[in-house]
Amino acid sequence: MQFDDDADLDTSEVQDVRGSRIPGGRATVGGGIAGLIALLLGLFFGVGPDQLGLTDDGGDEPAASSSSLAQVQQSCRTGKDANAREDCRTVAVVNSVQDYWRQEFPRRGGRYAPAPTVFFSGRVGTACGAASSAVGPFYCPGDRKVYLDLGFFDELRTKFGSSGGPFAQAYVVAHEYGHHVQNLMGTLSRSQDGRTGENSNAVRVELQADCYAGVWAHNATRTPDESGKPLITKLTDADIRDGLDAAAAVGDDRIQQRYQGRVTPESWTHGSAKQRQDWFYQGFRTGDMAQCNTFR
Ligand SMILES: [Zn+2]
């Protein structure tokens, strides 16, 4: 994945609160085994930490410390920075994903409302409750923000056995924005009937977000930014393989096998490795969100 060195990044789409603390806040999903299991069994790439009842009273939104804000705003100015630094690359992916949806919605008679991504470390207060990094990246419909601890990208490799790679990370970001698109379209709430399992709405919503990530990937290098040129200039087959590999690594069956020693499809919330790969690829192959009807 290559960015146009001269492109301007829009850091206003990212709120960097790394290093700040929630005043008096208590992390709901702690570290250790309990936190890990919660993560593995449902929250991973999920929709808000509230789905498993793992919320407390929320806590206050932490104030961004000026030093960390300055970090992204000062360091991530151009595509060249995105080619060199992981945090800047994530800013660029957020920009590209939102450029795409901002242009795609009007083509379908809609209007896209942008959603910021919050970079946090440790724990964070959200409209969906307080959450720790252990829950993995998630989208909170309550405040329409994507929450991401960049440390998770290492876990993709170390805990989930994904090959990692820049595009694996891009897939994660694009998946979360898939949930935002669902929120804007009114499909996201379908996942909240409390049911789990292979054919549950929860799984269908997750697979659709994977498909939407693929749709973006298909269109990434031909989506102009504000300057009229695409921010992403190159996506290779190896990049797409990294995305597919990450999608498989976070399949419910892989995670259950790895951490629980057996596979229990009735408790799936995100879909199997194969389902996730298939739907990401369906989006990538067609580049058409209309081909992402996982509810059929
Ligand atoms: Zn998800």
Side-chain angles (χ1 to χ4, degrees):
M1 181 167 51
Q2 195 95 44
F3 302 94
D4 175 1
D5 274 342
D6 299 326
D8 290 323
L9 300 186
D10 182 0
T11 52
S12 73
E13 293 187 348
V14 170
Q15 298 169 3
D16 192 349
V17 300
R18 287 176 292 177
S20 65
R21 299 216 143 261
I22 305 172
R26 204 163 37 81
T28 31
V29 184
I33 290 300
L36 186 61
I37 297 297
L39 153 68
L40 297 172
L41 296 188
L43 288 172
F44 186 70
F45 282 33
V47 181
D50 56 337
Q51 279 197 323
L52 295 184
L54 292 165
T55 55
D56 64 9
D57 53 357
D60 300 314
E61 176 103 7
S65 72
S66 53
S67 61
S68 69
L69 262 182
Q71 209 176 72
V72 153
Q73 287 185 336
Q74 285 177 5
S75 306
C76 305
R77 293 172 183 274
T78 66
K80 194 173 181 195
D81 301 323
N83 284 322
R85 286 175 56 137
E86 181 177 75
D87 52 356
C88 302
R89 185 168 68 222
T90 306
V91 171
V93 169
V94 168
N95 290 167
S96 172
V97 170
Q98 298 213 95
D99 282 340
Y100 173 68
W101 291 115
R102 205 178 278 117
Q103 292 163 36
E104 180 61 14
F105 267 57
R107 288 193 280 264
R108 296 173 185 275
R111 206 176 72 84
Y112 179 76
T117 284
V118 180
F119 287 175
F120 73 101
S121 55
R123 54 191 180 182
V124 67
T126 82
C128 299
S132 85
S133 299
V135 303
F138 64 93
Y139 172 72
C140 172
D143 53 24
R144 293 185 168 189
K145 292 180 186 177
V146 171
Y147 290 90
L148 183 62
D149 183 331
L150 295 175
F152 176 77
F153 293 146
D154 294 327
E155 296 187 358
L156 260 183
R157 283 186 298 271
T158 57
K159 281 189 186 160
F160 299 96
S162 155
S163 61
F167 195 77
Q169 303 169 0
Y171 153 72
V172 171
V173 171
H175 171 99
E176 295 308 336
Y177 276 95
H179 286 314
H180 178 56
V181 167
Q182 292 172 320
N183 193 23
L184 296 176
M185 297 182 60
T187 41
L188 186 64
S189 55
R190 289 208 207 177
S191 66
Q192 290 164 353
D193 59 9
R195 295 209 172 86
T196 61
E198 236 171 320
N199 298 311
S200 64
N201 284 340
V203 166
R204 291 172 197 270
V205 162
E206 292 300 332
L207 295 175
Q208 188 176 56
D210 285 335
C211 187
Y212 286 168
V215 169
W216 162 73
H218 175 102
N219 293 288
T221 57
R222 62 191 87 167
T223 297
D225 68 6
E226 277 190 349
S227 77
K229 288 192 299 184
L231 176 54
I232 296 181
T233 52
K234 198 162 106 185
L235 269 189
T236 63
D237 289 349
D239 287 321
I240 299 307
R241 275 199 299 277
D242 278 345
L244 287 165
D245 189 70
V250 294
D252 284 325
D253 52 344
R254 293 268 184 100
I255 291 174
Q256 287 179 342
Q257 191 62 50
R258 200 177 176 96
Y259 288 97
Q260 172 178 282
R262 65 198 174 95
V263 176
T264 51
E266 66 277 9
S267 62
W268 288 0
T269 54
H270 288 68
S272 69
K274 181 166 190 326
Q275 286 177 306
R276 298 198 74 163
Q277 283 192 318
D278 285 352
W279 280 104
F280 174 81
Y281 196 72
Q282 164 85 355
F284 176 70
R285 192 176 53 80
T286 64
D288 177 6
M289 70 185 298
Q291 304 300 316
C292 293
N293 185 359
T294 55
F295 291 89
R296 216 169 22 218

